[in-house]
Amino acid sequence: EKGEVLPALAQSWKFTEKPLPVYEFTLNPAARWSDGRQVWAQDFVDAWTRVLDPKFASPYAHCLFDISNAQKFHAMAGGNPSILGMKADGCSRLTVSVEKSISYFPQLAAHWVFFPIRKELIEKLPFVWTRPEHLVVTGPYRLKEWKIDTYYQLTPNPEYFGEKPKNTLRAI
């Protein structure tokens, strides 16, 4: 309402500037995937690494270039993701070092390109992980049915930790 970023998958975050600019996100312990598994910090590291990987060829990779060494990693074919300025500290803490002091990183991290993924499901089902029967999500709705170029139907996600939607949605 006021244009502020509100915590959702992250319960909170803090910024420290010294010795290097770093954001530390503490994940919401109530945040769950639609299959019931808790959202882990590593899910974000996996997602952001995937977007930055030049083999993935994401047209949105530039959105993550404020992360330390992100642009360098993106430019290297077969680069080592350990150079990226992000790490999962246990299940619930995500530490992100940024190239310079930027106040807008929490707003940027609210963009969908920063959403987490389930790497193990993508690896297990590489060509069908987005089909309704396999797709896991963190939002208020899950995909029930999808007929490409025709319609999709969303149903409430019972594992969603926020306000529960009441209706099924169908879009054409």
Side-chain angles (χ1 to χ4, degrees), residues 42 45-46 48-50 52-53 67-70 72-74 76 78-88 95 97 119:
Q42 188 63 46
V45 172
D46 292 341
W48 300 357
T49 301
R50 183 174 190 251
L52 288 167
D53 189 331
I67 297 170
S68 295
N69 293 319
K72 180 179 177 181
F73 173 75
H74 182 67
M76 297 186 312
N80 186 344
S82 68
I83 70 166
L84 293 168
M86 56 188 175
K87 68 177 183 171
T95 304
S97 62
K119 182 180 176 182

Side-chain angles (χ1 to χ4, degrees):
E1 220 174 83
K2 297 177 184 176
E4 299 173 18
V5 175
L6 300 174
L9 293 176
Q11 177 177 293
S12 63
W13 57 86
K14 67 180 182 179
F15 174 72
T16 54
E17 201 158 5
K18 295 185 180 176
L20 298 170
V22 171
Y23 280 92
E24 185 178 288
F25 295 89
T26 300
L27 298 187
N28 185 334
R32 303 252 179 255
W33 291 94
S34 53
D35 66 358
R37 181 173 74 71
Q38 187 173 3
V39 176
W40 297 334
Q42 188 63 46
D43 298 331
F44 290 90
V45 172
D46 292 341
W48 300 357
T49 301
R50 183 174 190 251
V51 169
L52 288 167
D53 189 331
K55 290 179 282 185
F56 185 59
S58 171
Y60 296 97
H62 68 279
C63 294
L64 287 89
F65 283 177
D66 286 318
I67 297 170
S68 295
N69 293 319
Q71 196 164 3
K72 180 179 177 181
F73 173 75
H74 182 67
M76 297 186 312
N80 186 344
S82 68
I83 70 166
L84 293 168
M86 56 188 175
K87 68 177 183 171
D89 297 323
C91 289
S92 63
R93 187 172 299 128
L94 174 65
T95 304
V96 183
S97 62
V98 290
E99 292 287 339
K100 60 187 181 295
S101 181
I102 51 173
S103 61
Y104 58 83
F105 192 77
Q107 287 87 345
L108 190 61
H111 188 278
W112 66 262
V113 78
F114 284 81
F115 289 4
I117 61 166
R118 291 280 294 277
K119 182 180 176 182
E120 81 279 7
L121 297 179
I122 295 170
E123 289 173 347
K124 181 180 172 185
L125 305 163
F127 302 107
V128 295
W129 71 274
T130 58
R131 291 197 182 151
E133 64 270 22
H134 303 300
L135 186 63
V136 293
V137 297
T138 60
Y141 289 94
R142 59 185 180 175
L143 185 61
K144 180 178 181 178
E145 189 177 1
W146 177 26
K147 179 131 170 102
I148 298 173
D149 295 331
T150 306
Y151 71 91
Y152 60 89
Q153 185 173 357
L154 304 175
T155 59
N157 174 6
E159 296 293 334
Y160 186 61
F161 58 94
E163 185 178 339
K164 307 279 191 237
K166 294 173 181 51
N167 301 320
T168 295
L169 301 175
R170 183 177 169 112
I172 299 173

